[in-house]
Amino acid sequence: MTTPLSTPWRHYDLRRPGPEDHLPVLAVLDTWWDGMGGPEASRQRALLLPKLMFQHFTESSFLVTSDERIVAFLIGFLSPSRPAESYIHFVGVDPAERGNGLGAELYERFFAYSRAHGRSVVRAITSPVNKGSHAFHTRMGFVTEPGPEEFDGLPVQPDYDGPGLDRLSFRKNL
């Protein structure tokens, strides 16, 4: 089911993603990240979004389109192991659409979904080199969790996603 989503500047359609959206979302990743990190980072981004995310986490995720074109998505889930927490796994917004509130709207909808399901904490991560992501999460009320190492003055969780894949870890209390 598609729901109209309007910002002051434009009309979008919002819906839950499904398995048929897996390959179209993967197709936009390199363009949206402008090849950041080269071929290895491109492969890592694709590996972070296996088809199972579009099969098993659809009720807690969102996809935004405009004229049938994917312009944003948020893949998140309620933690099955930590009943008070939910997790934003991967978010993307078309660079041409950034700055108009789409990302914030997706996060707010995920926060509301989390609250409605009894969650009081939302977690997320990002790469330490992704300064835009760090700034966005900070604006959205997330706190960067302490870590044993630093990168450019930010606390880092070393090897969080595997050897050499350090991450910033975020927490937001709802």
Side-chain angles (χ1 to χ4, degrees):
M1 180 176 157
T2 301
T3 303
L5 173 67
S6 294
T7 68
W9 304 276
R10 193 162 174 172
H11 172 78
Y12 302 96
D13 291 314
L14 175 75
R15 64 179 173 81
R16 303 293 186 189
E20 69 281 1
D21 297 307
H22 177 241
L23 292 178
V25 167
L26 289 182
V28 301
L29 289 184
D30 276 343
T31 303
W32 290 4
W33 269 261
D34 196 25
M36 182 170 77
E40 179 56 26
S42 173
R43 189 176 75 76
Q44 287 175 24
R45 281 189 292 275
L47 290 172
L48 286 171
L49 281 172
K51 191 169 194 165
L52 71 91
M53 301 305 286
F54 295 82
Q55 295 169 318
H56 299 282
F57 300 105
T58 60
E59 287 304 308
S60 54
S61 299
F62 304 96
L63 185 83
V64 180
T65 59
S66 179
D67 299 324
E68 306 289 323
R69 181 177 62 88
I70 296 172
V71 295
F73 66 90
L74 181 150
I75 306 296
F77 57 89
L78 304 174
S79 173
S81 301
R82 297 178 179 182
E85 297 183 10
S86 58
Y87 187 83
I88 296 175
H89 177 69
F90 206 118
V91 179
V93 177
D94 184 332
E97 305 289 336
R98 290 180 190 157
N100 61 15
L102 270 179
E105 177 68 23
L106 290 176
Y107 271 60
E108 291 297 339
R109 286 178 182 261
F110 186 78
F111 297 158
Y113 179 86
S114 296
R115 278 188 207 98
H117 287 84
R119 307 306 164 115
S120 58
V121 174
V122 177
R123 294 188 180 275
I125 62 167
T126 196
S127 168
V129 299
N130 193 337
K131 302 295 185 199
S133 177
H134 180 262
F136 175 80
H137 282 90
T138 300
R139 284 192 307 272
M140 293 302 300
F142 284 86
V143 174
T144 308
E145 296 186 295
E149 295 182 13
E150 284 192 6
F151 178 85
D152 282 351
L154 297 172
V156 170
Q157 309 298 323
D159 302 327
Y160 185 94
D161 276 337
L165 300 175
D166 302 347
R167 299 292 182 253
L168 301 178
S169 179
F170 300 110
R171 175 190 174 109
K172 177 179 173 72
N173 294 328
L174 298 177

